[in-house]
Amino acid sequence: MQPKIYILGIESSCDDTCASISVDTQILSNVISSQKIHEKYGGVVPELASRSHMQNIVPVVQEAINQAGISLEQINAIAFTRGPGLLGSLIVGTSFAKSLCLALEKPLIEVHHMKAHILAHFIDNEENKKPEFPFLCLTVSGGHTQIVRVNSYYDFEILGSTIDDAAGEAFDKCAKIMGLPYPGGPLIDKYAQQGNANRFHFNKPKVEGLDFSFSGLKTSFLYFIEKEKKQNESFIKENLTDLCASLQKTILDILFHNLELASFKSGITSVAIAGGVSANSGLRNRLKSYEKQKKWKIFIPDFQFCTDNAGMIAVSGYFNYLQNNFVDQSVQASARIRDF
Ligand code: KG4
Ligand code: ZN
């Protein structure tokens, strides 16, 4: 029998400080310290995010090791997010991982944040449900919106991506327009569940091929709200659930239009979702309905592995470990790491 491989994963690309221990594709611990400080600013303040990572990284890693019940010496390698993300945030995780590797004399593995969101599908789960290659993945987060053809653990092909805002940004920016705190995505999801999704209609973009655009929706939402507020100051308060439901439906219509097209063009009917927005209940339910309606094989990650987490970094590290994909101490964090 092959010896088991223990990986320490570290994720610090945005505003969550995360550490995880995996053994092969099983997660032993998945610790996330979310930074509440950004709520009152209506978005992530990069400078504050880096400072919080500095404060959190040691206790978060310590907690991940404690919860996994292993010692640091048992770890085979350390995997960290090199990018993409906020540079100041990435530097904290990268420097920490490099230093710990140097001290422990362990190999170092760099991980691409967006690939890791996709590879979260290979984390052991209760249903033991993992996609077979090739499959399509709709990767939707605060910074990215992509349809990716996944050919293997190491081969990813972007079929379409956003030309302006990401889907998560559309949720968050429209939430801000309604006066909701950051991040607004989960709140829109919550209110949408009680609202009428067909009450209001917002602009959908006209983009060629499989690319996305969300900036027009944000602007049309802003103008609509401003116009209504001139007639009724309490418009948002009185219509919050219907506004959220209608907005969410529009975002999902845009996403699913391209996802259906990608499936049709590629002939691939195994479809996964990944990234923070894949926690959205409307998105999850609509994808589930396609299982019966369109006979798709669908893959939805556990909630804890949708938004940023280090379990996905540890498991990505494991697949790289199997290929001896190590990096040396000259590696640097990269905010705009080359896309796949
Ligand atoms: O993947 P993620 O945690 O961080 C990035 O890599 O960006 O994604 C964060 C994004 C935010 O825009 C947040 O509002 C959105 O995911 N999000 C949601 C939900 N949960 C998180 N959007 C809609 N519905 C949700 N339930
Ligand atoms: Zn992410």
Side-chain angles (χ1 to χ4, degrees):
M1 215 171 80
Q2 293 282 334
K4 293 210 173 284
I5 307 299
Y6 289 86
I7 307 281
L8 163 64
I10 293 170
E11 155 65 34
S12 71
S13 65
C14 192
D15 58 339
D16 296 314
T17 318
C18 317
S20 167
I21 303 288
S22 62
V23 51
D24 297 348
T25 50
Q26 187 194 344
I27 299 299
L28 298 180
S29 62
N30 186 40
V31 179
I32 302 174
S33 169
S34 296
Q35 304 174 1
K36 293 267 168 240
I37 191 156
H38 308 286
E39 271 175 21
K40 61 179 175 207
Y41 297 100
V44 177
V45 183
E47 174 88 21
L48 296 178
S50 338
R51 283 187 201 203
S52 296
H53 283 308
M54 294 277 284
Q55 283 175 337
N56 296 340
I57 193 122
V58 171
V60 164
V61 169
Q62 190 61 58
E63 181 63 20
I65 290 163
N66 292 349
Q67 282 185 18
I70 63 158
S71 71
L72 263 181
E73 286 65 37
Q74 273 175 275
I75 290 165
N76 294 87
I78 297 173
F80 70 98
T81 306
R82 183 162 91 86
L86 299 171
L87 188 62
S89 292
L90 290 163
I91 284 175
V92 178
T94 304
S95 307
F96 183 84
K98 284 167 73 171
S99 314
L100 196 56
C101 279
L102 205 57
L104 296 172
E105 296 180 15
K106 304 281 182 187
L108 183 61
I109 300 169
E110 68 168 51
V111 172
H112 187 295
H113 182 84
M114 297 312 294
K115 287 184 188 174
H117 270 302
I118 298 172
L119 292 176
H121 282 282
F122 296 97
I123 292 173
D124 292 356
N125 52 63
E126 271 176 21
E127 294 170 80
N128 210 10
K129 197 177 169 193
K130 296 183 185 181
E132 281 172 19
F133 302 113
F135 65 95
L136 298 179
C137 189
L138 174 69
T139 316
V140 269
S141 71
H144 291 79
T145 300
Q146 299 171 329
I147 297 179
V148 182
R149 181 190 161 116
V150 188
N151 297 318
S152 76
Y153 301 118
Y154 315 99
D155 182 8
F156 303 77
E157 201 182 320
I158 297 176
L159 303 181
S161 54
T162 183
I163 56 170
D164 41 55
D165 290 351
E169 251 177 308
F171 272 106
D172 296 339
K173 287 180 176 171
C174 291
K176 196 175 174 182
I177 293 169
M178 292 188 282
L180 299 174
Y182 177 86
L187 289 170
I188 292 183
D189 185 358
K190 185 177 130 198
Y191 294 127
Q193 290 173 33
Q194 295 139 39
N196 174 2
N198 295 312
R199 171 94 185 279
F200 303 113
H201 298 278
F202 306 110
N203 276 1
K204 289 193 192 136
K206 293 178 185 66
V207 188
E208 285 290 300
L210 294 174
D211 285 340
F212 298 95
S213 165
F214 288 100
S215 67
L217 169 62
K218 176 193 64 195
T219 314
S220 111
F221 189 74
L222 176 67
Y223 289 161
F224 172 74
I225 295 280
E226 280 180 349
K227 196 173 116 233
E228 293 296 331
K229 268 176 71 179
K230 274 188 193 141
Q231 285 157 38
N232 174 8
E233 248 318 296
S234 317
F235 176 75
I236 296 175
K237 209 171 148 207
E238 286 168 14
N239 297 284
L240 187 62
T241 54
D242 289 349
L243 279 169
C244 289
S246 304
L247 175 71
Q248 178 169 300
K249 179 179 182 297
T250 312
I251 296 174
L252 298 189
D253 285 349
I254 297 169
L255 293 172
F256 275 91
H257 174 270
N258 284 16
L259 196 53
E260 279 181 44
L261 191 60
S263 168
F264 176 75
K265 280 186 169 178
S266 64
I268 298 173
T269 51
S270 278
V271 182
I273 51 174
V277 182
S278 64
N280 182 270
S281 57
L283 177 60
R284 296 165 88 91
N285 289 339
R286 198 179 299 188
L287 188 65
K288 277 183 202 154
S289 76
Y290 278 40
E291 199 165 27
K292 279 206 183 102
Q293 247 179 54
K294 296 191 182 292
K295 304 274 177 285
W296 282 8
K297 276 192 190 154
I298 60 149
F299 301 90
I300 300 177
D302 260 19
F303 273 111
Q304 60 170 329
F305 300 121
C306 285
T307 44
D308 287 347
N309 67 87
M312 67 184 195
I313 306 301
V315 161
S316 303
Y318 168 70
F319 292 121
N320 280 293
Y321 186 94
L322 297 180
Q323 300 275 303
N324 291 322
N325 269 341
F326 303 127
V327 290
D328 63 30
Q329 286 285 329
S330 66
V331 68
Q332 288 183 25
S334 170
R336 298 195 178 277
I337 196 168
R338 180 177 55 85
D339 256 350
F340 298 168

